[in-house]
Amino acid sequence: MSELRFDGQTVVVSGAGGGLGKAYAVFFGARGANVVVNDLGGSFKGEGQSSKAADMVVNEIRAAGGKAVANYDSVENGEKIIETAIKEFGRIDILLNNAGILRDVSFKNMSDDDWDLIIKVHVKGAYKCARAAWPHFRKQKYGRVINTASAAGLFGSFGQCNYSAAKLSQVGFTETLAKEGYKYNIICNVIAPIAASRMTQTVMPPDILENLKPDWVIPLVAVLVHPSNKHETGSIFEVGGGHIAKLRWERAKGALLKTGPSLTPGAILRQWKNVNDFSEPSYPSGVADFMSLLEEAQKLGENEPGEHIDYTGKVAVVTGGGAGLGRSYCLLFAKLGASVVVNDLVNPGDVVQEIQKNGGKAVGNKASAEDGDAVVNAAMDAYGRIDILVNNAGILRDKAFANMEDKMWDQVIAVHLRGTYKTTKAAWPYFLKQKYGRIVNTTSTSGIYGNFGQANYAAAKLGILGLSRALAREGAKYNINVNTIAPNAGTNMTRSIMPEEMVQAFKPEQVAPLVVALCSDQVPKPPTGGLFEVGSGWHARTRWQRSGGHGFPVDVKLTPEAVVKAWSDIVNFDDGRADHPEDGQDGLKSIINNMQNRSSDVNKAREVNTDTLDKIEKAKKLHSEGTKYKYDDKDIILYNLGIGAKRTELPFVYENSDFFQALPTFGVVPYFGAEMPWSMNEVLPNFSPMMLLHGEQYLEIRKFPIPTAATLVSYPKLVEVIDKGKSAIMVSGTTTKDVATGEDIFYNESSAVIRGSGSFGGPSKGADRGASTAVYQPPKRQPDAVVEEATTEEQAALYRLNGDRNPLHIDPEFSKMGGFKTPILHGLCFFGISGKHVYQSYGPFKNIKVRFAGTVLPGQKLRTEMWKEGGKVIFQTKVVETGKLCIAGAGAELLGTGKTTKL
């Protein structure tokens, strides 16, 4: 394709004196654009000022034949930066809001200056530059904006509460600009770049920094701001190290409860698994249909009450508690026994009297949320402690971005974002000291999805979510839980944007029970860091979904043209590779993995490595001497228990039962320790056991019924090795026979993916071996059968007694080395649990094939979804708590008619 050019266009790059900003400026200068190189010339902490940095970049661009001019203003003076573009080049077409600083410090030690400076540069600076450029964009009916988020904003980062808040605010800000600008051909996107710079040197290890270059980020930005991009707007991209992926919001189906008196905190907690159920997710771009939800909720029967929550002895502080949502929170906390501090700048007294009239305890506090010390001191003076903080205070200053004034921006950021920071900062020392605290912060769907006329509000509200996520990480070890809600309710504040009938219908009392529930000690794990949309009796968690994206070779210069060619991969959420990142480590995963992606591997794949191919062929011809496995009823019972058999299921746990039997997936146990006649490290190039993953498992049961005691012998054989370029797939097949009779009992095929061992010139596709290589796709209809089963905290400890003693499943220190926070469950264990679900739902099967798609932590719940297609059952298994697949593309071929078996 032809080169993407920017001839005649003017690009403004803030913070362009070094790092990513400099790389932007040099690139656009080389591609024909006029460049305004803005840089204050200070340190990465925001200290000092110098013209040197910007001047050096300008000189570099000019020396290469480009056009550039320097600007030394702070981004707070965005109008002066844009004025430079208009004065020097007569127009502005592209704005890259890149300027940034760091002030990393734990929240307990954070000063107001640390907070204010970060917000001023990242949040106010991005606003000021965009606001100054906006009239020019609208007039010429053309504009392109890139705002800059970060992994710290998307997921929250320890020691970066200020930065996390500032960076996630850019998502809400961008989504709003995208909606307001679209009809004027103003395209706005946000990126979360991972690139080496002065800033990242303080938070990233040197070995990773060496593999990261700003050059990996530029091509994506170039594609997004090019005139050819007319529709990709309001989007979020993670980019760095040769990998690019898109993120979007994923909303759970949620729990709908009847509104009214039976909508209690306990009733919601009783439905908690539905609140967090992502088995039928949606991918919204705006607020839910709360009127329809309310109509449905009112048709439901009374809610089952669940556990009663008692707040006796606890002290709750609610900001903005004098009316609307805050009032409803105060009343419910008091009703359940809490002592309540009703904070309100206007009139806390009426709510205090209402609580006291009902026999509750309350005091008023008349102060701005920005005066957090005064708010929290009211609790300490009256009750000597604070246990719960609900940050609810807020204002609206809605205006189209083209007409927004600085005062409107500043007021909304101050009340919502700084107010939440100040009250939380005041409460934090008390929470730390008592090792207990509960915080509920308030974001908005206007922040999550953006909303016309609310650029200030969206930025503030999503900034609060960024703060919450960072606080949740810092507070976890001190038993301080921090959650965030996006409520829908009719209040005096929303009267300016809602019809009166909706204000009346959407009652604050429909939101309060969730807030009170989140502050309890009964919230199931994980009890912190959540985002929940709520209103009209509906409660649903919202999270990120990330596309599988595309990885480019790290030893080849990346170009915008290459990004365009890979665009369908980058934005594809439906190819089975999408995941749900929850922390910075997840955010780096794809980028770190891509560092092994080299073009030399691809080139080598075209070359035939005869030595490796010869070794593979020789290994295929080797015959095993056989490995014995002797078992009896005790081993059968141990296996059955290891995959969740219950004490009441006598055929599985009692040797004297008339129907005593091994669950069919027991067939993976006898072969597990069989000695292979070949060695992986002698066959494959660059083999490392740390790079090995269990990819697929096929089990064929050749003897019915399975003997409940026998001496077996297993004969492994190398079936094939597939060359996938970056990796190799080694398939082994093991036949297990009965020593006494010589009969085949089981046949197993196991595929292992070994990263870094490909590119030897072998076949890129495996042979078709019928059932063992079958590819199963779930039908596009609701499952015919669904079985849910919770694993236990001890599941991995029990299952390892079947022979897999890998310390990854028991030793926390070892699991951390493998990149897991806690020991994970054996893949063959949840394979067995899934097979058990198929067996109990449809009867015996003669073979079963699965693809391992994710990890399971002991204690998580599994959900097996099954579709009967003739004589086969197609199935997949999800982790209920995360909604992620752990087994995908699976199928079992039934024995006989496959009638449902009840045991």
Side-chain angles (χ1 to χ4, degrees), residues 638 669 672-673 798-806 826:
L638 180 62
V669 173
F672 185 80
L798 177 61
Y799 186 83
R800 67 190 300 269
L801 298 180
N802 291 292
D804 185 348
R805 300 294 184 92
N806 188 334
H826 306 68

Side-chain angles (χ1 to χ4, degrees), residues 591-712:
I591 290 169
I592 299 303
N593 287 344
N594 193 63
M595 290 180 182
Q596 306 297 321
N597 181 3
R598 299 185 181 277
S599 64
S600 54
D601 296 337
V602 177
N603 293 332
K604 278 191 286 185
R606 299 192 185 106
E607 302 170 4
V608 176
N609 186 330
T610 55
D611 183 52
T612 298
L613 292 176
D614 287 345
K615 288 178 179 178
I616 291 171
E617 289 306 310
K618 287 178 182 178
K620 285 182 180 179
K621 295 173 182 176
L622 294 174
H623 294 283
S624 169
E625 294 182 1
T627 303
K628 285 188 177 181
Y629 178 82
K630 185 178 182 179
Y631 69 97
D632 58 20
D633 52 21
K634 181 179 72 174
D635 301 288
I636 296 292
I637 294 169
L638 180 62
Y639 177 78
N640 291 346
L641 288 171
I643 61 170
K646 304 295 188 289
R647 64 176 179 82
T648 54
E649 296 174 319
L650 296 186
F652 301 146
V653 297
Y654 181 43
E655 68 279 7
N656 290 325
S657 167
D658 291 340
F659 303 101
F660 181 61
Q661 60 187 283
L663 282 161
T665 51
F666 173 72
V668 300
V669 173
Y671 97 99
F672 185 80
E675 187 174 342
M676 296 185 296
W678 74 93
S679 173
M680 285 189 178
N681 63 338
E682 292 177 1
V683 172
L684 290 174
N686 307 316
F687 174 77
S688 168
M690 298 297 290
M691 304 299 281
L692 187 149
L693 298 169
H694 194 167
E696 296 184 340
Q697 184 72 29
Y698 170 75
L699 167 64
E700 192 174 304
I701 301 144
R702 294 180 171 177
K703 171 73 173 178
F704 296 92
I706 296 170
T708 55
T711 299
L712 307 179

Side-chain angles (χ1 to χ4, degrees), residues 336-357:
L336 297 176
S339 301
V340 181
V341 176
V342 182
N343 160 265
D344 200 274
L345 187 58
V346 179
N347 180 23
D350 288 351
V351 175
V352 171
Q353 291 176 15
E354 192 173 357
I355 290 171
Q356 292 174 342
K357 184 179 179 181

Side-chain angles (χ1 to χ4, degrees), residues 143-162:
R144 299 291 184 267
V145 179
I146 295 290
N147 290 321
T148 309
S150 77
L154 299 178
F155 312 115
S157 179
F158 194 99
Q160 293 190 298
C161 286
N162 48 2

Side-chain angles (χ1 to χ4, degrees), residues 836-855:
K836 180 182 64 172
H837 294 165
V838 173
Y839 179 55
Q840 292 177 314
S841 299
Y842 292 104
F845 47 81
K846 55 186 177 183
N847 60 54
I848 184 170
K849 160 83 181 298
V850 304
R851 176 168 61 84
F852 295 104
T855 55

